[in-house]
Amino acid sequence: MRSVVVTVLLACAGPCLAQQTAAQWIWYPEQPASDCLKESRWFRKTFDVAAPFMAPGGAMNRAATLWLLVDDNQRLWVNGRGDLPVIGSGPAWNRYDVSGALQPGRNVLAVQGTNGTGPAGVLARLVIKTAAQQETVINSDASWRSVKAEPPAAWTTAGFDDSQWAPVRVLGSAFMGPWYDHALFDVQPFITAAERAAYERHMATLLAPPEQFAGQQPARAAIRPYHGAPALFINDQPRPLVTYRGTVDPISDYGRHVLGQFRDAGIHGYAPYVALDKCWTGPGKYDFTPLDQVVRAYLSVDRDAYLDMLVRLVPPSWWLQAHPEEMVRYATSDQIDDNDEAGRVLRPSPASEAWLKDVGAAWTALIRHMESQPWGKRVIGWHACYGIYAEWHYFGSWTQQYPDVGPAMTQAFRAYLRARYGTDAKLQAAWHDPQARLNTATVPGVEPRRNATLASFRDPTKEQRVVDYYRCHQKVTADAIEHFGKLAKQATGGRAIYGIYYGYFMGVLPQTQGGHLELLRLLKSPFIDYFVAPYEYGHRLMGMDGRLRSLAYAFNVAGKAHIIEADTRTYLHPREEHGRTQNLTESLAAIRREFSTGLIEHTGYWYVDFGPEGVGGWYSQPQIMSTIKDL
């Protein structure tokens, strides 16, 4: 899976009997998040086709259709043929007509799957039908075989001997996370109506019933001073601003176990992550069932829970297709390279008025819906997620793609210049350019931005155009943040808090196009209550200070809460990255250090848990949970 913020709504973190599907996620027997980074694996499934599925002479008697989804990239052969017609597609899957490639007797599906980063998997469903609508189905399951090293060319043919290949590892059903209800994946073609019905029945047993909230008043939340530091108040009572921010699925047995661990440790604050696009079915049309199920599932595990909802504000694919001129454009290339938000990803520009208007309407509808539900009484916060990995860093900025040169940003830049200068003459004087015009000014490209006069310092007699653009660039992001905060406050009548990832100071390059340089303005905003940032990645090893990326005291002075996102890679994490601790002793030391930093700096604290395979589990060890309870 590409490096994206993992969205797990209604996913099974492992095989769950009541949620099984015939088509199962499979992979080579390894941990793809650590053992298969930017590498390929090869998969085969042999099967026989006989009458009545083959007509006399070997021609197909009816259609044969294959749905295939591979995280991240796929190549397909059927009986050695790789030129199979694609007759449909959706998020990450293709539908192939394989009728002309099948043959009487032995057949083979051959798939090359390539992983980028994170979880990986293969999901397949082949349906062969006769004229009389008789049907045989081949699914991805434990009967497939796989290999790690690239096989000889004959591996795509039915007669190839794969007896030495390893049986695949079955990851779980089509309902499992992180793919089910993820914005980048659509697993619906792999789920039958009967499987869907069984899933719905199973979920009904795991959701908090409406009567659980009878007689309760909606909780009112606020950030107020308490013993010299900003603190969380719920119904006028101070509470620890300590939250579990996990990616676990609250429906799966494993996810419910993890949430129960934090409940039993006395942490009743949770920050679920949901995707707006999964609730936005068409223009002005919404289905908030996925949102309700997440909230009710958390509350069924912990009856004392209070939820701060993180909402990913990327619109659905139909909106993206309908608004090509509203997208971020990159100075380095017009080509969209992948779905990694640090690269040239397809996303609406924060300067887009259409995005602000339409997403703002959907965001408001979502919050108002939750306000109207019994379980919405326990939702005490809303958190707008956008930019790279939800952290309001401009798409493409971390990899020097030099955003945003698109029409939406160009229009915003010209409006900024008109407000700043007023006349062409003043613009020309500031830019030292007699050709400059307010109505034709363009966003600077790669070279003007890359070549500063001295390090990152700009000479205003030569580079005022770039300086003005970066000021506009930062303003556009801050405008959007405040826009969604104002809407949240209006939709909740001010009873809920609103926060964002923002205020990163250390470890962000380049700050001008990817950083958070409007912090002073946003600290004064009446709509924003708290700011979240991870602690420094370069200072996490044993013997280091675990310093913050933010200037924490600035938030205290402004009366806002700062929250440390403690995304500590404990020894349970499967790969070496971001200061992973090496054993239990180091893990406990790191957790104590970061929590102590929160006490010293007067901050809140999020136990962030992306965990092995993206489904949580960094803290799933008795001594770790005992330490968290003590803290």
Side-chain angles (χ1 to χ4, degrees), residues 79-100:
N79 296 327
R81 283 189 53 180
D83 58 342
L84 302 162
V86 177
I87 57 175
S89 62
W93 59 260
N94 283 333
R95 184 170 79 247
Y96 299 89
D97 180 1
V98 301
S99 305

Side-chain angles (χ1 to χ4, degrees), residues 10 16-25 123-125 135 137-141 172-175 180 187-203:
L10 305 170
C16 302
L17 183 60
Q19 301 179 63
Q20 274 301 331
T21 53
Q24 298 176 306
W25 282 100
L123 190 63
R125 180 174 173 82
E135 181 177 284
V137 180
I138 307 297
N139 290 297
S140 49
D141 58 23
S173 78
F175 291 114
Y180 183 72
V187 301
Q188 300 308 320
F190 305 87
I191 300 171
T192 68
E195 291 166 347
R196 167 68 58 189
Y199 177 73
E200 298 293 343
R201 290 192 299 270
H202 174 70
M203 284 202 306

Side-chain angles (χ1 to χ4, degrees), residues 26 117 134 151 180 184 231 259 296 323 482 630:
I26 60 172
T117 60
Q134 293 175 289
Y180 183 72
L184 300 180
L259 294 178
R296 293 174 67 186
H323 298 85
E482 280 207 292
D630 291 342

Side-chain angles (χ1 to χ4, degrees), residues 469-485:
Y469 170 68
Y470 279 140
R471 286 175 172 166
C472 173
H473 179 107
Q474 295 284 332
K475 177 180 181 298
V476 159
T477 301
D479 287 347
I481 287 170
E482 280 207 292
H483 171 70
F484 293 109

Side-chain angles (χ1 to χ4, degrees), residues 227-356:
H227 292 312
L232 173 66
F233 282 74
I234 299 178
N235 296 330
D236 296 322
Q237 297 298 312
R239 296 175 60 93
L241 188 50
V242 180
T243 300
Y244 176 64
R245 156 81 175 96
T247 56
V248 295
D249 163 34
I251 297 296
S252 72
D253 292 342
Y254 176 72
R256 297 173 76 82
H257 166 72
V258 172
L259 294 178
Q261 288 181 320
F262 280 84
R263 173 201 62 207
D264 295 343
I267 295 176
H268 302 292
Y270 304 91
Y273 185 91
V274 297
L276 179 65
D277 65 327
K278 288 301 178 183
C279 302
W280 191 1
T281 58
K285 298 179 180 179
Y286 311 103
D287 177 4
F288 296 117
T289 301
L291 173 68
D292 287 335
Q293 290 171 333
V294 169
V295 172
R296 293 174 67 186
Y298 269 82
L299 292 169
S300 71
V301 175
D302 185 354
R303 294 175 64 91
D304 296 321
Y306 290 97
L307 307 183
D308 186 358
M309 306 300 297
L310 282 71
V311 182
R312 179 179 182 270
L313 299 179
V314 177
S317 57
W318 58 261
W319 194 97
L320 302 179
Q321 295 168 7
H323 298 85
E325 295 304 301
E326 306 300 327
M327 299 299 116
V328 174
R329 301 279 179 86
Y330 305 93
T332 54
S333 174
D334 290 333
Q335 299 297 314
I336 299 301
D337 55 6
D338 58 25
N339 285 310
D340 187 340
E341 292 182 338
R344 295 191 301 273
V345 69
L346 183 67
R347 293 289 185 272
S349 169
S352 165
E353 294 182 5
W355 175 73
L356 290 168

Side-chain angles (χ1 to χ4, degrees), residues 87 161 464 622:
I87 57 175
D161 180 9
Q464 188 61 39

